[in-house]
């Protein structure tokens, strides 16, 4: 078990190193010059020599490998460097201000989604082809098919503009959380409910379920004790995927509701060619995904005793 | 097109210019003491314009309290004078700081931290007499040393300053006493007053101590508001500065929220969550809100919406071809169908918003596809097998790279693609991030694009960075020796009449050469909630965002 974890971690370090190099190379191959973005639509005027001086000030005139080593060296010491665009602000601060916003948002959405999706999925699986199952299927299909963007805007129009119950953007009060969490949860709910339903149906046909029923257990006990626990396995896998979103943020929802999360920071930084920020977020994400994958694998063993980690 | 818009366009067509305004804009020295209002050009329509207060006057005494809330579209990355390029930054920085001179909502240069100023007859010396008793937010008194430090720091690109070009030709700065600043010039820079003397002044001792990188996160100016809290991607919160030399602002707080999605910004105004949008809403939303009683200022932009073309490409190097392209485009239809009528057809590089330097009677190209075809035939471009014209094995085809996600201008490119197709010219469409486009065009690595850019602004007719053969933003790669010469002459000429002749000639050359396909000058629509009062009655501003530096005279009706 210990050896397994250690080897997985070592593999992870290699993956993270490769990702950091790849990100650096991709960012530098992206054509464009962050200094030119300072000029608005021409109100700011700069000559070539002046732009060159600014590039030198920002360290962009150094050879690429030197820039990489400088950045990677600082990163190993826990220093993410400074943003080009928000000069004077350490990248670390930018990331750790944005992460909690996306993290809380996604954890809340995950909790809400699971709280609704698991019972619905189980019930739909047990009462297969019933009216409830059909309604759940329609709901789940709609939830998965409707784009976040549209769902969010409709929510704002109905609840902020027409009913005036909720604010149209921001997280200044608890009401502000309602719409973004609902929009994010709706999408995940659909996926979880579908997966849970399918897994429930499959486990209900297993021998041990028939045995449990034959023992004379009540249907309720059979489903909850014997079927559901096994049916949870695929759901855990899907949740594992979602963990990455906790930290990568959800760019669409963050943009529509004007939330200063990591997803918006990431995408904005790509467009602004804020190299240090993009590189640091990618590396941080790589670390988190490696750890989340490891955690998911370990969790399998817990949920399904047949899986042994060696 | 509605009647209102037509009416507004007619109003916009009239560009009044007082002698005083003209003197200000042309850098002729005189002591600028009393300033009368100039003739109105555009009146705000609808809404709460009932509370008149000239924006340039000292802050009104009727304090309303409350918070004035604006919404912007992108994060405020920094708050130093050097960060003031983007509108959302400008709106905050200009309320935290003051400058010696400032451009007001009618494009007049008004003295703010300067009591008066004089320009030597040869244009080689500026003398500013400063106001006394002005306090910075930290209580320190504003003196000549702050001006000298600010100008010296931001005139150097090696300090990372984006303002370096504004100080072109500046030499030694002398401070004979605490309230006199003498700026000596090594060479004449006719735009020094509008470009350099409008630089926001920083508290010099503090800036020298903490450095630019800390300063931009925690600025200390003399402005009507001081910084309370700054969360770049979420909001910037300013608080009234009670000791401001023009009196305390009318509201207690000024806040700008960042809301990237335009429709959500509109809803924020409708629900009363916001009082104004510093970055314009969608044109159709602005016009709808005006009908609902919101105050809307419609001002003509100084930038031109255009297709920069790589004029060094063989298929685009002949001016006859470029002229024909312009004739093939129905620009009025673009304005009416894709821009809700809120724009004027452009006829050269300089916007009519620059009333003194704009030349109206330049060569014009009315929509005439038959004439375009005939001119292309005459120039030797004949239809090939696939319908696209060719000449000596070169196809009349080029690629227009639009800005990724640019939902506003992409449809224009698509319509123009059809217009050009009708006369046998192929324009392919691609997308790329704006940073890539701005870098690739001057190097000749892209054929064409579409965006707005300033080729001489409302305040300064200078276009050295965009039309000079060695200009850093010479997107169309124009290489015209006469234009280069005229730009140099213009920058060093302080006699406005003589100076105007140079820029008239440049506009004539641009209208003849058509180095880029100039489409339209957009109206800049700035919407204010009806509960906001103290807005100017008229504004001819460079863009509607010129209103925002005057947050101190705006009030919010409570309840």
């Amino acid at each position: 078990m210990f050896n397994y974890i250690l080897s997985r971690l070592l593999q992870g370090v290699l993956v993270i190193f490769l990702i950091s190099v790849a990100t650096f190379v991709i960012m530098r191959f992206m054509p464009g010059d962050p200094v030119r973005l300072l000029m608005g639509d021409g109100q700011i005027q700069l000559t070539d020599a002046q732009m060159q001086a600014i590039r030198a000030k920002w360290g962009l005139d150094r050879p690429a490998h030197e820039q990489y080593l400088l950045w990677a060296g600082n990163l190993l010491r826990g220093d993410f460097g400074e943003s080009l665009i928000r000069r004077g602000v350490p990248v670390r601060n930018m990331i750790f201000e944005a992460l909690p916003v996306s993290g809380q948002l996604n954890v809340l959405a995950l909790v809400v989604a699971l709280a609704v999706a698991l019972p619905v999925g189980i019930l739909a699986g047990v009462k297969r082809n019933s009216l409830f199952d059909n309604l759940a299927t329609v709901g789940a299909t709609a939830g998965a098919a409707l784009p976040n963007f549209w769902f969010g805007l409709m929510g704002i129009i109905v609840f902020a503009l027409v009913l005036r119950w909720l604010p149209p953007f921001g997280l200044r009060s608890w009401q502000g959380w309602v719409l973004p969490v609902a929009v994010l949860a709706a999408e995940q709910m659909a996926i979880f409910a579908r997966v849970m339903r399918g897994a429930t149906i499959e486990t209900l046909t297993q021998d041990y379920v028939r045995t449990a029923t034959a023992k004379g257990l009540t249907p309720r006990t059979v489903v909850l004790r014997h079927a559901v626990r096994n049916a949870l396995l695929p759901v855990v896998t899907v949740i594992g995927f979602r963990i990455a979103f906790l930290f990568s943020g959800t760019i669409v929802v963050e943009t529509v509701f004007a939330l200063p999360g990591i997803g918006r920071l990431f995408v904005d930084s790509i467009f602004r060619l804020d190299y240090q920020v993009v590189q640091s977020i990618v590396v941080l994400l790589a670390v988190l995904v490696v750890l989340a994958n490891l955690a998911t694998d370990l969790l399998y063993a817990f949920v399904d005793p047949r899986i042994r980690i060696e | 097109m509605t009647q209102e818009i037509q009416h507004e366009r007619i109003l916009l067509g009239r560009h009044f210019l007082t002698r005083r305004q003209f003197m200000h804009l042309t850098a002729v020295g005189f002591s600028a003491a009393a300033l009368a209002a100039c003739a109105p050009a555009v009146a705000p329509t609808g809404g709460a314009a009932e509370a008149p207060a000239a924006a340039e006057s000292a802050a009104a005494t009727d304090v309303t309290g409350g918070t004035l809330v604006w919404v912007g579209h992108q994060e405020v990355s920094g708050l130093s004078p050097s960060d003031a390029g983007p509108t959302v930054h400008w709106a905050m920085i200009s309320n935290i700081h003051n400058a010696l001179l400032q451009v007001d909502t009618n494009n007049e240069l008004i003295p703010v931290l300067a009591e008066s100023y004089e320009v030597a007859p040869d244009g080689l010396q500026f003398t500013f007499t400063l106001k006394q008793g002005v306090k910075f937010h930290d209580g320190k008194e504003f003196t000549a040393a702050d001006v000298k430090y600010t100008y010296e720091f931001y005139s150097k690109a090696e300090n990372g300053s984006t303002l370096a070009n504004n100080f072109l030709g500046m030499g030694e700065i002398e401070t004979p006493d605490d309230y006199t600043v003498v700026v000596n010039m090594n060479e004449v820079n006719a735009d020094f007053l509008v470009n350099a003397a409008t630089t926001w002044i920083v508290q010099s001792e503090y800036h020298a101590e903490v450095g630019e990188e800390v300063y931009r996160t925690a600025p200390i100016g003399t402005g009507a508001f001081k910084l309370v809290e700054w969360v770049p991607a979420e909001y910037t919160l300013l608080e009234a500065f009670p000791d401001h030399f023009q009196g305390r602002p009318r509201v207690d707080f000024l806040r700008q929220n960042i809301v990237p999605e335009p429709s959500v910004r509109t809803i924020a105004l409708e629900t009363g969550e916001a009082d104004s949008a510093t970055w314009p809403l969608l044109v159709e939303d602005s016009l709808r809100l005006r009908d609902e009683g919101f105050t809307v200022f419609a001002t003509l932009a100084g930038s031109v919406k255009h297709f920069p073309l790589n004029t060094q490409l063989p298929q685009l190097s002949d001016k006859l071809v470029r002229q024909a392209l312009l004739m093939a485009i129905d620009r009025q239809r673009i304005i009416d169908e894709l821009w809700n009528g809120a724009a004027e057809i452009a006829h050269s590089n300089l916007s009519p918003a620059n009333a003194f330097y704009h030349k109206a009677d330049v060569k014009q190209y009315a929509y005439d596809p038959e004439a375009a075809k005939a001119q292309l035939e005459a120039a030797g471009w004949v239809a090939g097998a696939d319908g696209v014209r060719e000449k000596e094995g070169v196809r009349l085809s080029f690629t227009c790279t639009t800005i990724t996600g640019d939902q506003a201008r992409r449809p224009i490119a698509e319509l123009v693609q059809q217009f050009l197709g009708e006369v046998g010219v192929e324009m392919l469409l691609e997308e790329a991030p704006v940073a890539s486009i701005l870098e690739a065009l001057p190097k000749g690595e892209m054929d064409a694009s579409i965006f707005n850019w300033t080729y001489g602004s409302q305040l300064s007719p200078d276009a050295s960075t965009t039309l000079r053969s060695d200009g850093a933003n010479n997107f169309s790669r124009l290489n015209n020796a006469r234009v280069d010469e005229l730009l140099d002459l213009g920058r060093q000429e302080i006699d406005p009449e003589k100076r105007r002749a140079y820029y008239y000639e440049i506009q004539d050359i641009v209208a003849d050469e058509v180095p880029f396909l100039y489409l339209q000058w957009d109206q800049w629509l700035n919407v204010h909630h009806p509960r906001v009062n103290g807005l100017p009655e008229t504004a001819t501003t460079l863009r509607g965002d010129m209103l925002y530096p005057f947050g101190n005279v705006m009030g919010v009706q409570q309840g």
Side-chain angles (χ1 to χ4, degrees):
Chain A
M1 178 84 173
F2 176 75
N3 284 342
Y4 171 80
I5 295 176
L6 189 69
S7 81
R8 283 287 302 268
L9 285 178
L10 286 176
Q11 287 170 26
V13 169
L14 181 68
V15 167
I16 290 160
F17 168 71
L18 292 176
I19 286 177
S20 79
V21 175
T23 315
F24 185 89
V25 171
I26 290 170
M27 282 305 286
R28 301 306 154 122
F29 267 104
M30 244 169 82
D33 175 358
V35 175
R36 284 190 180 269
L37 291 179
L38 296 173
M39 296 182 293
D41 56 3
Q43 288 104 328
I44 298 272
Q45 307 206 333
L46 291 170
T47 64
D48 278 325
Q50 287 159 349
M51 281 195 272
Q52 193 49 41
I54 295 175
R55 267 180 225 120
K57 168 84 180 165
W58 291 4
L60 293 174
D61 58 339
R62 299 191 190 183
H65 66 274
E66 212 175 283
Q67 290 184 42
Y68 175 79
L69 289 177
L70 194 68
W71 168 69
N74 286 338
L75 198 63
L76 287 177
R77 288 193 292 273
D79 176 3
F80 289 65
E82 280 201 359
S83 160
L84 286 183
I85 306 301
R86 284 191 215 165
R87 282 179 319 287
V89 178
V91 173
R92 192 200 349 232
N93 294 10
M94 291 168 72
I95 293 177
F96 288 114
E97 272 162 24
L99 262 186
V101 176
S102 301
Q104 289 173 41
L105 192 65
N106 280 278
V107 168
L108 274 174
L110 190 63
V111 169
V112 171
L114 288 175
V116 176
L118 295 189
V120 168
I122 294 166
L123 205 58
V126 172
K127 307 202 170 200
R128 198 171 161 191
N129 297 332
S130 66
L131 179 64
F132 179 81
D133 183 23
N134 288 335
L135 284 177
T137 304
V138 170
T141 311
L146 291 178
N148 265 345
F149 170 77
W150 182 85
F151 208 35
L153 282 180
M154 287 303 123
I156 292 173
I157 290 174
V158 173
F159 294 102
L161 184 61
V162 179
L163 298 172
R164 306 277 165 121
W165 291 350
L166 301 168
F169 66 89
L171 295 174
R172 271 173 289 159
S173 58
W174 66 267
Q175 287 97 331
W177 291 86
V178 175
L179 280 177
V181 168
V183 170
L184 271 181
E187 185 195 22
Q188 301 177 32
M189 213 180 274
I191 299 166
F192 294 147
R194 292 304 294 165
V195 173
M196 192 68 220
R197 174 183 177 274
T200 306
I201 290 170
E202 205 189 312
T203 24
L204 286 177
T205 64
Q206 298 289 322
D207 290 344
Y208 59 82
V209 172
R210 202 174 321 129
T211 308
T213 312
K215 279 197 300 188
L217 296 178
T218 62
R220 186 189 168 86
T221 313
V222 171
V223 171
L224 292 182
R225 286 274 172 78
H226 297 262
V228 168
R229 188 167 168 197
N230 290 301
L232 273 177
L233 204 57
V235 177
V236 171
T237 312
V238 179
I239 294 174
F241 286 138
R242 298 297 312 185
I243 298 284
F245 285 88
L246 294 187
F247 302 100
S248 69
T250 34
I251 173 67
V252 173
V253 169
E254 287 171 18
T255 302
V256 170
F257 294 99
L259 313 177
I262 194 92
R264 238 176 87 200
L265 177 66
F266 186 51
V267 173
D268 284 353
S269 301
I270 292 175
F271 279 115
R272 296 185 305 210
L273 300 177
D274 201 342
Y275 302 122
Q276 312 265 31
V277 180
V278 176
Q279 287 158 202
S280 302
I281 292 178
V282 171
V283 167
L284 198 67
L285 271 183
V287 171
L288 293 169
V289 171
V290 164
L291 293 178
N293 280 347
L294 181 56
T296 313
D297 289 350
L298 296 177
L299 205 60
Y300 278 147
F302 175 74
V303 179
D304 184 352
R306 286 171 304 178
I307 297 173
R308 289 274 170 271
I309 288 173
E310 276 150 21
Chain B
M1 185 172 36
T2 66
Q3 270 195 327
E4 287 85 346
I5 303 168
Q6 262 172 341
H7 178 59
E8 216 156 58
R9 185 180 299 147
I10 293 163
L11 282 174
L12 276 165
R14 296 160 63 199
H15 293 282
F16 297 92
L17 188 78
T18 60
R19 181 178 166 278
R20 189 182 302 276
Q21 195 176 14
F22 154 84
M23 297 281 275
H24 275 291
L25 289 172
T26 51
V28 169
F30 74 105
S31 170
L35 286 161
C38 74
V42 185
T45 50
E50 76 280 350
E56 63 264 30
S57 73
T61 47
D62 53 333
V63 171
T64 63
T67 304
L68 186 62
V69 182
W70 296 340
V71 279
H73 67 307
Q74 63 180 27
E75 77 162 43
V76 176
S77 311
L79 294 167
S80 107
S82 175
D83 295 314
T87 304
V88 289
H89 294 192
W90 158 273
M92 295 289 97
I93 295 164
S94 60
N95 279 291
I96 297 171
H97 300 88
N98 292 119
L100 296 190
L101 309 181
Q102 188 170 352
V103 177
D104 76 355
T105 47
N106 291 318
N107 293 322
E108 288 206 51
L109 265 184
I110 51 169
V112 180
L113 290 178
E115 191 73 51
S116 62
Y117 59 91
E118 273 172 33
V119 187
D122 60 1
L124 287 170
Q125 194 178 61
F126 297 88
T127 307
F128 299 93
T129 305
L130 307 185
K131 281 209 171 73
Q132 303 192 9
V134 177
K135 291 261 190 299
F136 281 102
H137 298 156
D138 63 353
K140 191 196 162 264
E141 203 192 336
F142 159 75
T143 66
D146 298 303
V147 179
K148 179 176 159 74
Y149 177 89
T150 300
Y151 286 8
E152 285 176 351
F153 184 88
Y154 290 107
S155 61
K156 295 187 181 77
E158 53 272 30
N159 288 332
S161 168
T162 61
L163 308 174
N165 211 46
N166 295 347
F167 291 91
L168 212 71
M170 189 177 80
E172 285 294 303
I173 300 177
E174 297 161 43
T175 53
D177 62 63
D178 272 358
Y179 303 105
T180 308
V181 176
V182 180
V183 178
N184 295 298
M185 305 295 291
N186 295 331
E187 57 179 283
V188 175
N189 174 351
D191 287 326
F192 188 83
L193 288 180
V194 288
N195 284 340
T198 52
T199 304
W200 312 111
I201 304 293
V202 301
Q203 208 274 51
S204 57
E205 283 172 22
Y206 169 71
H207 188 283
E209 185 190 328
V210 300
E212 169 75 358
E213 303 208 331
V214 171
Y215 185 87
R216 67 202 294 277
T217 69
I220 294 184
T222 59
F225 293 90
K226 55 185 179 180
L227 181 65
V228 178
E229 205 179 0
W230 170 62
V231 187
E234 200 179 1
Y235 64 88
T236 307
L237 179 62
L238 311 182
E239 186 185 12
F241 176 44
D243 299 328
H244 188 240
F245 68 99
Q246 292 172 328
R248 69 150 284 173
R250 298 179 61 211
V251 293
D252 296 335
F253 294 96
L254 175 59
R255 181 185 174 105
Q256 181 175 235
N257 290 312
I258 304 307
V259 180
E261 179 59 34
S263 49
V264 179
R265 288 202 296 280
T266 303
I267 290 172
L269 256 85
E270 290 185 276
T271 60
E273 287 264 329
D275 297 310
S276 185
T278 43
W279 185 253
L281 307 171
L282 299 178
V283 173
E284 54 267 38
D285 285 335
S286 302
L287 297 176
R288 178 170 58 80
L289 288 179
R290 183 177 58 186
D291 294 340
E292 291 174 14
F294 284 70
T295 311
V296 177
F297 288 91
T299 51
L300 207 59
S303 64
V304 61
K305 190 185 302 304
H306 70 312
F307 288 91
L309 299 175
N310 180 355
T311 56
Q312 309 286 320
L313 286 179
Q315 64 270 40
L316 295 174
S317 59
D318 184 351
K319 75 175 179 188
L320 294 175
V321 170
R322 301 193 298 266
Q323 291 172 351
L325 297 187
L326 205 48
M327 282 190 266
I329 300 172
D330 187 349
R331 290 178 283 172
Q332 192 59 51
R333 196 175 142 200
I334 293 173
I335 292 171
D336 291 341
E337 291 182 10
L338 299 177
W339 220 254
N340 287 282
E344 264 184 52
I345 293 182
H347 296 299
S348 188
N349 61 301
L350 192 62
S351 165
N354 191 329
F356 183 74
Y357 289 100
H358 170 75
K359 187 166 192 281
D361 57 334
V362 293
K363 189 168 175 181
Q364 300 194 356
Y365 304 91
Y367 172 56
D368 189 346
E370 293 311 315
K373 285 181 197 166
Q375 181 154 329
L376 289 170
E377 295 280 343
W381 294 88
V382 291
D386 58 355
V388 177
R389 291 175 189 274
E390 293 178 355
K391 181 181 175 182
E392 292 158 11
V394 178
R395 292 174 80 239
L396 191 37
S397 166
F398 62 96
T399 303
C400 172
T401 310
T402 62
I403 296 170
T404 307
D406 186 354
Q407 294 166 15
R409 284 172 291 214
R410 172 82 188 194
I412 297 180
E414 285 165 1
L415 188 54
V416 167
Q417 183 180 41
Q418 285 182 32
F419 285 137
L420 296 183
E422 282 161 20
V423 299
V425 178
E426 181 180 63
M427 184 171 87
L428 305 169
L429 293 177
E430 272 183 5
E431 283 193 7
V434 62
S436 311
I437 294 174
L438 296 184
E439 191 184 23
L441 281 171
K443 290 183 183 168
E445 291 166 2
M446 272 183 195
D447 302 350
S449 182
I450 176 171
F451 50 79
N452 291 44
W453 203 269
T454 310
Y455 289 79
S457 74
Q458 176 145 0
L459 301 172
S460 156
D462 181 47
S464 297
T465 58
T466 45
L467 292 179
R468 259 194 81 97
S469 52
D470 61 354
N473 299 319
N474 182 3
F475 298 121
S476 295
R477 309 185 77 212
L478 178 67
N479 192 350
N480 185 307
R482 180 63 185 156
V483 169
D484 288 2
E485 189 187 351
L486 288 165
L487 287 166
D488 289 348
L489 289 169
R491 209 172 52 211
Q492 305 209 0
E493 179 54 67
I494 59 167
D495 178 342
E497 296 287 347
K498 283 188 196 159
R499 196 173 184 220
R500 179 158 68 176
Y502 299 138
Y503 291 101
Y504 270 13
E505 192 180 339
I506 290 174
Q507 289 169 74
D508 277 329
I509 294 174
V510 169
D512 181 52
E513 286 282 331
V514 194
F516 45 84
L517 303 179
Y518 33 85
L519 297 177
Q520 64 197 52
W521 289 297
D522 293 340
Q523 270 180 15
W524 205 255
L525 296 165
N526 282 86
V527 180
H528 298 262
H529 196 278
R531 70 180 183 155
V532 177
N533 53 46
L535 293 166
E537 280 187 294
T538 64
T540 58
T541 63
L542 170 62
R543 283 191 335 199
D545 49 21
M546 282 292 193
L547 294 160
Y548 295 108
F550 302 95
N552 58 329
V553 301
M554 297 183 197
V556 185
Q557 206 176 324
Q558 299 292 309

